[in-house]
Structures are given as structure tokens and as C-alpha cells.
Amino acid sequence: MSYWRSKLWGLILSIVTDGVTTIPAGRVSEPIPLAQRPPLPAGPLVVVANHSSHADTAVLLATLGRSRPVTFVAAADYWFGRTRNRVLARWLVGIWPIRRDRRGMADLLAAAPAVAAGVVFVVFPEGSRRRTPELAGFKRGAFELAAAARATVLPVGLVGAGDLLPAERRLIRRRPVEVRWGEPFTVESGHAEESAAAALGVVDVLIREPAHQRPGRAWTRIRRMAFAATGMAVVTAWAFAEGIVWPLVAELPLLLFVCTVGRSWRGPMMIGATAIASAAGILTTWWLVAHGVPVPAPLTTPRMHETALDQLASDPTGAFANQMFNGIPVKVYAHGAGRLHLDVVDVIAAMLPRLGRIAIVGGMGWILGGLLSRYLKPCLGAVQAVFLVLFPLGLGLVIWWWS
């Protein structure tokens, strides 16, 4: 459950924040993006963190829950006193309830077997959510639990989550969030108070500097490819193959790349390369079919070919203009042009609307990508995943319509 909860909250945080980054202890440690599993210390583990927002729980679950089962120690009367909170506690968070009276320590220490078994217990030693910039004192319960379970304590400083969703607000404000780890340590029996004071000092140092926005892993990877030969090769090969046999539209990888390049001229260069490659693919299919070479046309229907032939016979330029909107793959029109033995000059002139569509769609992606880069940087991977799911559904509807 922790794994799937982490994926859910990770998706939500990638949309509503300016990025969530884990920074392990040590100056040489590389920041870890939200989509990547952080290397948690082995063995029983208790995590202690500052607490100023309900977003703290979501952030820690989204990062830690990818690696280990995670549960959060929290007040029983708050999380199980109302139906809405009870549903959140049981299904979307994972709460270990404790009572806010003298029996609370017994409830907390009852978790020792679960900690020893490998469940990561997250405790906010400040108690309730803090509404001031200064840290409140750390209570000793988490450290008593660590001593009883012979667990390692990992101090964590959460920076930005309080600005994202402060305790006194209900509306989320986009902010970058960083999960900063201190050096893990063990707690000797009878030394909980000293350990609490030490952890407080560590977390206080961890949260002093503000969080910085860092792009997500998907944005970084795609932008790197866009400025390398790989990106240019992908868009040209894709567009060329789409004009012959490839069943997916030429603009798909183009939009993915150009939205990451900002104001660089790399965007127009990729748009132009896609248009040229698409034209080359169309001309290749036209030439092969005109010379009697069979060219497969997967995921097309006889009605598509009949419609394309009729349109090309009456008005070649209008036929390619219709192709911009009717869902028929461009390779079907290239097949039709070959079967009708159209002149090469007529084919080139007829495909101009098609090339215009690539320029328009690519240009819009380039401009909007630059304008919306702040929002796309943390969640481009999620956007990509959504389109990868939706596009086959759309393709299936097009084939059904033309069947």
C-alpha cells in the first residue's frame, strides 16, 4: 500500500508543486528527483521531521514510500474522530494512532515490533503543526521508540512544504519542496532526551536555507536529448517513418522535445527537420507505390483508402488539407497519390497544408512550452504518461470511425 500511496501522492505533488527533491546527507550526495527512489538506511528506521503543514505527510510518503513501507504516528482523536479523516488515514496515508494523554507513550512503544520488522515509522516530534518559523522543542517519544526497536533515527528537514500549504491556509501555493536528510544515528536506552535535543539541532540547521526549484527527471532527460543529436534523429526518423508505415503522428515526439528548449533556435530547427522528414516519407511512399512496390499500411481501413483516393482524384491540395483534421493517416494519402500516378510537382504542392500543420502545431508547442515551463518542469513525466495512455484510445476511436 505504501508504494501505491507514494505513486499517488507523487503524481499530485508533481502537479501542484514546483518540484520535490530529496537531498541525502553528505555534501557529495546528488539531489534525488521525486520520480527516483531515495536510498534509505538499511534496517529498522524511525524518521523524525519538522512539521508545519499537512503537505509534510504527503511529501514524506511520496519520497520514502517508494523504497519501504511507511506509516505516520499521529493523534488518534484527529485522524479517527471524523469519517473523512478516517478514510484518509486508512487508505491514503497510513496512520499509527496514539492517544493524546498519558497512554500515548504506550501506544507509541507498541509500534516497536513493526519498526523492528522493517516498517519505517515517521514521527513529527514537535507534536502538532507549527505556525511560527522557529522550531518547537522535540518530544522524546520517537527516540524512546527507536531505542526500544533498536532502530536508526533519520533526522529530516522539510523545506518549502510549509509555504506550499501552511497550517492556517487551505489553498495550495506552488513552491519547490526539498527533503533534506541529516546523518542517521542510534539511540541508547535511557538517552532519549539527549537524542531529541541533538535531532532538534540537526533539523534546525537543515531547514535554514530556502528550497530551490529543480526540474524533474523527465524534463532534464528530454531537454538533454533535445539539444543532442539524439533528439534530432528521433523527430526526423519518426516523421519519415510516419509517412510510410509508422501509425503514430509526426508531431508526438516533436512536441515533447520543443516544449523543453525555451527560446533557443533548437525549437524551429526541430520543427523544420520534422517537416522535411515528413515530406521525404510521403514522397518515398508515393514513389514506391507508383512503381508497383507494395508498402504495408498498418492500422488503416479500406474506407480510409477509398476516401483518400476520391479526394485526391478531385483536388490533391484539398485532400491533404482535409487530412489535417479527418484522422486519416498521411501515409494513406501517399498511397493514393502513388496509385493515381500523380506528378511529383503535384504531390509536393499538395502536401504543403500537411507541412503547414507540422509548423503550426510545433510552433505552438515551442511557444507554450516556454511560457509554461515552470509548471511543466516538475510534471513533464506525468504529462507524457497521460498522453501515452490517451493516444491509443484516440487511435482506436479513429480506426473504429473509419471502419
Side-chain angles (χ1 to χ4, degrees), residues 50-247:
N50 56 304
H51 192 31
S52 58
S53 168
H54 277 319
D56 300 333
T57 303
V59 168
L60 288 175
L61 182 53
T63 54
L64 305 179
R66 295 174 186 270
S67 303
R68 299 263 296 274
V70 177
T71 192
F72 294 80
V73 176
D77 59 326
Y78 179 86
W79 284 100
F80 290 89
R82 299 174 61 183
T83 301
R84 181 193 65 183
N85 291 358
R86 191 182 306 119
V87 171
L88 285 171
R90 286 180 175 173
W91 297 103
L92 298 181
V93 179
I95 295 295
W96 183 274
I98 62 172
R99 290 165 287 189
R100 288 198 263 199
D101 54 28
R102 294 182 178 179
R103 298 170 292 179
M105 183 62 74
D107 295 338
L108 185 59
L109 294 179
V115 176
V119 179
V120 177
F121 266 65
V122 178
V123 185
F124 298 112
E126 293 177 278
S128 59
R129 288 173 293 164
R130 173 174 33 88
R131 289 169 168 78
T132 59
E134 296 77 19
L135 280 175
F138 276 12
K139 300 176 182 178
R140 62 184 177 88
F143 308 93
E144 295 280 7
L145 173 61
R150 297 182 179 179
T152 301
V153 174
L154 177 65
V156 171
L158 293 168
V159 184
D163 298 324
L164 176 73
L165 184 63
E168 68 277 1
R169 290 174 59 94
R170 293 188 176 183
L171 296 178
I172 293 176
R173 298 179 295 188
R174 293 187 67 90
R175 294 291 187 275
V177 178
E178 290 183 359
V179 185
R180 300 172 181 169
W181 294 1
E183 292 290 347
F185 62 90
T186 57
V187 181
E188 297 293 334
S189 181
H191 292 78
E193 293 285 357
E194 295 92 330
S195 298
L200 176 64
V202 171
V203 174
D204 186 47
V205 172
L206 289 174
I207 65 174
R208 287 180 183 174
E209 296 296 327
H212 303 282
Q213 184 185 17
R214 293 182 176 87
R217 183 172 61 174
W219 176 278
T220 303
R221 182 190 304 159
I222 293 167
R223 179 177 170 84
R224 188 185 302 119
M225 290 177 62
F227 283 99
T230 305
M232 193 68 74
V234 168
V235 297
T236 53
W238 189 292
F240 179 76
E242 192 254 354
I244 304 174
V245 295
W246 192 240

Side-chain angles (χ1 to χ4, degrees), residues 268-281:
M269 287 172 61
M270 298 188 86
I271 295 169
T274 301
I276 294 171
S278 179

Side-chain angles (χ1 to χ4, degrees), residues 303-334:
R303 185 174 165 223
M304 290 181 180
H305 288 271
E306 294 169 3
T307 302
L309 277 173
D310 291 341
Q311 293 176 355
L312 286 165
S314 58
D315 182 8
T317 302
F320 276 87
N322 291 330
Q323 187 274 330
M324 295 170 60
F325 308 103
N326 62 16
I328 298 177
V330 72
K331 61 178 176 281
V332 174
Y333 285 85

